[in-house]
């Protein structure tokens, strides 16, 4: 099971530069980043609705929707920032640098969130090895950016 989870995580990580690249091209073609972002989310919504119909997942009960922590709904709003950044910066910075910086920032933030058990995550201590891993990521991005 862990192997399948790792393969899915690898596939989604590999999809990141493709997503940034396609979003950046859409922005270049439209020339309006806000509307490019709206298009990205509209297409994503249609895709998710199609998946929900195919797998026949029922709509959550209203009680579950109303009982959800308020902050748990913020993910959709938060996702706007990386989507906008990708569509406006990936082509300018280059996919390697943009993706490297984004993933490194995500890793460092994840270690902090894990350490403190924030936003509903289980606690995983920020050991010296995990911190060193973050430092290696920063070094790796610096090397990619220098060339």
């Amino acid at each position: 099971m862990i192997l399948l989870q790792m393969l899915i995580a690898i596939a989604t990580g590999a999809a990141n530069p493709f997503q940034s690249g396609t979003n950046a091209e859409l922005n270049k073609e439209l020339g309006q980043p806000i509307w490019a972002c709206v298009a990205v989310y509209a297409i994503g919504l249609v895709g998710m609705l199609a998946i929900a119909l195919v797998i026949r997942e029922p709509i959550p009960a209203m009680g579950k929707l109303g009982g959800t922590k308020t902050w748990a709904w913020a993910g959709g709003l938060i996702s706007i920032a990386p989507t906008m950044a990708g569509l406006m910066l990936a082509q300018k910075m280059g996919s390697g640098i943009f993706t490297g910086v984004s993933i490194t920032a995500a890793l460092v933030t994840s270690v902090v969130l894990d350490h403190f058990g924030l936003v509903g995550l289980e606690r995983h201590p920020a050991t010296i090895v995990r911190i060193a891993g973050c430092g290696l990521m920063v070094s790796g991005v610096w090397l990619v950016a220098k060339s």
Side-chain angles (χ1 to χ4, degrees):
M1 185 58 141
I2 189 73
L3 178 61
L4 177 61
Q5 292 170 343
M6 290 295 278
L7 289 173
I8 291 169
I10 289 168
T12 58
N16 258 347
F18 287 102
Q19 180 186 16
S20 295
T22 57
N23 290 352
E25 184 62 23
L26 182 62
N27 180 48
K28 187 169 109 182
E29 295 287 328
L30 297 180
Q32 297 177 294
I34 299 294
W35 288 108
C37 191
V38 168
V40 166
Y41 279 96
I43 293 164
L45 175 62
V46 169
M48 287 307 304
L49 291 172
I51 291 169
L53 289 172
V54 168
I55 65 172
R56 299 175 185 227
E57 186 165 58
I59 297 172
M62 289 308 252
K64 282 194 170 205
L65 294 174
T68 303
K69 293 177 182 82
T70 306
W71 60 264
W73 295 99
L77 287 174
I78 292 169
S79 71
I80 293 169
T83 301
M84 288 293 293
L87 65 86
M88 293 190 327
L89 300 175
Q91 288 180 332
K92 291 176 182 162
M93 294 175 72
S95 183
I97 296 170
F98 176 77
T99 302
V101 170
S102 297
I103 291 174
T104 301
L107 180 64
V108 171
T109 302
S110 295
V111 168
V112 171
L113 294 176
D114 281 349
H115 181 76
F116 293 106
L118 301 173
V119 296
L121 297 171
E122 289 184 28
R123 292 184 77 152
H124 298 276
T127 63
I128 191 71
V129 174
R130 294 181 94 200
I131 293 167
C134 290
L136 288 171
M137 289 289 291
V138 170
S139 300
V141 170
W142 181 79
L143 288 172
V144 170
K146 289 294 287 179
S147 58

